[in-house]
């Protein structure tokens, strides 16, 4: 009797879809993870096209819609999109710089269906925050928005991006999150993709800074247990094991660019040889299940040794493909963060060298509004 080929198991639906509504942004953050080549206003999906994306996401089984950018509040149709997402049963989260959002606009978005707001925080002090943002007065506007969330009883997460210029103030940022009434704080060391990779030498903290920041987070977690949830994203360049990037390639999240390309993660377009489908040409569910780009690194079959036999292979899913490419020159090899990678020692030496050298000036991103 001839053996039958193994059935292809369809992937579980993604938990969340990240909608990059626009690449336009009023800030000029040197750690920006958006791609070097930004999508222009005229290339952005229109309201009806984004609404179809939301419908297809709900049909696929997605539970959460994260509205991001750039700065998503620059889209005049944001309330319409939130309303449409809510009508299709999606939990709505807004990821924003907070600059330019008035209290009235926030109320409008909340009425339209906004469930939660994530606000970026560059520093605990105005001078440092505004310097990173490249925008005078940005910090004050962020604090005002955070306080309005409290007044309107809108759940708030603060996202504090950490680097060598603010690592000593992690404790202050934690206290600021408590003062502002945030329910969650993400303390995330800079991840070096896109524009952020250009500024790595200016941003990479020293090992001593990383250790001090980690200690501050550990102490605060214990002290604030039950009052503030603190997520901690460590800097890959000092780690021994890789993180499961986006929960694993094409495992839990799907990312859609302003012009409608569907990606497994926001940096995936840096990988040559992958063709990313557009929602203008193919359904979201079909892309998620059948796209070659999504299946290329999904699961464990693609893994080289020693990844394939590693006990962690279904925990970290091989780490980050984009980081492997940036640091090793190949997307299909071990993430150099892993101590089993032949490139691991070189990564640690690079981190030591760049973090100890005098920080160069920031290269600001000025994409315009």
């Amino acid at each position: 009797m001839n053996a039958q080929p193994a059935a292809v198991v369809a992937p579980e639906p993604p938990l969340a879809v990240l909608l990059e509504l626009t690449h336009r942004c009023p800030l000029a953050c040197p750690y920006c993870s958006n791609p070097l080549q930004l999508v222009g206003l005229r290339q952005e999906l229109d309201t009806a096209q984004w609404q179809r994306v939301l419908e297809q996401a709900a049909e696929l089984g997605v539970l959460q819609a994260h509205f991001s950018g750039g700065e998503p509040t620059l889209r005049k149709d944001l309330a319409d999109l939130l309303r449409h997402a809510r009508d299709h049963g999606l939990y709505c989260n807004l990821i924003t710089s907070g600059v330019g959002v008035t209290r009235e606009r926030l109320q409008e978005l909340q009425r339209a269906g906004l469930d939660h707001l994530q606000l970026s925080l560059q520093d605990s002090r105005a001078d440092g925050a505004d310097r990173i943002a490249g925008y005078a007065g940005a910090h004050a506007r962020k604090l005002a928005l955070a306080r309005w969330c409290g007044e309107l009883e809108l759940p708030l997460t603060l996202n504090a991006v950490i680097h060598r210029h603010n690592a000593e103030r992690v404790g202050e940022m934690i206290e600021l999150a408590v003062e502002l009434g945030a329910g969650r704080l993400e303390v995330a060391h800079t991840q070096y993709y896109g524009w952020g990779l250009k500024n790595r030498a200016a941003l990479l903290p020293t090992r001593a800074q990383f250790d001090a920041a980690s200690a501050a987070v550990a102490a605060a977690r214990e002290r604030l247990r039950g009052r503030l949830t603190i997520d901690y994203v460590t800097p890959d360049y000092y780690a021994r094991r890789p993180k499961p990037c986006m929960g694993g390639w094409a495992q839990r999240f799907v990312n859609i660019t302003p012009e409608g390309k569907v990606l497994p993660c926001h940096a995936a377009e840096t990988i040559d040889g992958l063709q990313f489908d557009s929602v203008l040409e193919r359904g979201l569910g079909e892309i998620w299940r059948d796209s070659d780009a999504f299946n290329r690194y999904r699961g464990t079959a693609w893994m080289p040794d020693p990844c394939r036999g590693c006990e962690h292979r279904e925990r970290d899913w091989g780490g980050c493909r984009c980081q492997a490419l940036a640091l090793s020159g190949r997307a299909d090899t071990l993430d150099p963060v892993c101590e089993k990678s032949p490139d691991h020692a070189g990564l640690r030496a690079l981190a030591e060298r760049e973090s100890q050298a005098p920080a160069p000036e920031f290269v600001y991103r000025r994409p315009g509004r």
Side-chain angles (χ1 to χ4, degrees), residues 327-344:
L327 296 174
S328 298
R330 291 178 55 185
D332 60 353
T333 192
L334 282 71
D335 187 333
V337 170
C338 181
E339 60 186 354
K340 296 180 181 181
S341 167
D343 299 305
H344 183 74

Side-chain angles (χ1 to χ4, degrees), residues 164-284:
R164 75 157 76 179
H165 302 274
N166 65 6
E168 287 86 358
R169 292 186 290 282
V170 165
E172 291 184 12
M173 285 184 266
I174 293 171
E175 293 308 313
L176 181 59
V178 173
E179 176 192 332
L180 293 172
R184 181 180 295 271
L185 170 66
E186 180 182 84
V187 179
H189 285 266
T190 300
Q191 305 297 296
Y192 298 103
Y193 308 107
W195 199 263
L197 188 58
K198 278 182 170 287
N199 285 284
R200 185 181 65 195
L203 295 168
L204 195 64
T206 64
R207 179 71 200 212
Q209 286 181 308
F210 162 53
D211 289 341
S214 300
V217 169
R221 277 176 163 170
E222 185 64 28
R223 180 170 52 85
L224 297 171
R225 190 182 305 276
R227 293 180 59 196
L228 176 68
T229 299
I230 304 176
D231 296 327
Y232 189 45
V233 180
T234 59
D236 285 341
Y237 287 32
Y238 292 116
R240 295 175 54 206
R241 300 233 29 98
K243 295 191 289 289
C245 181
M246 301 294 287
W249 181 277
Q251 295 283 341
R252 301 185 66 195
F253 295 93
V254 61
N255 189 97
I256 303 177
T257 68
E259 83 269 49
K261 286 185 182 179
V262 185
L263 312 178
C265 76
H266 66 275
E269 287 183 284
T270 61
I271 302 176
D272 291 333
L274 293 182
Q275 182 67 40
F276 297 103
D277 295 302
S278 169
V279 292
L280 299 178
E281 301 168 352
R282 201 175 181 189
L284 182 61

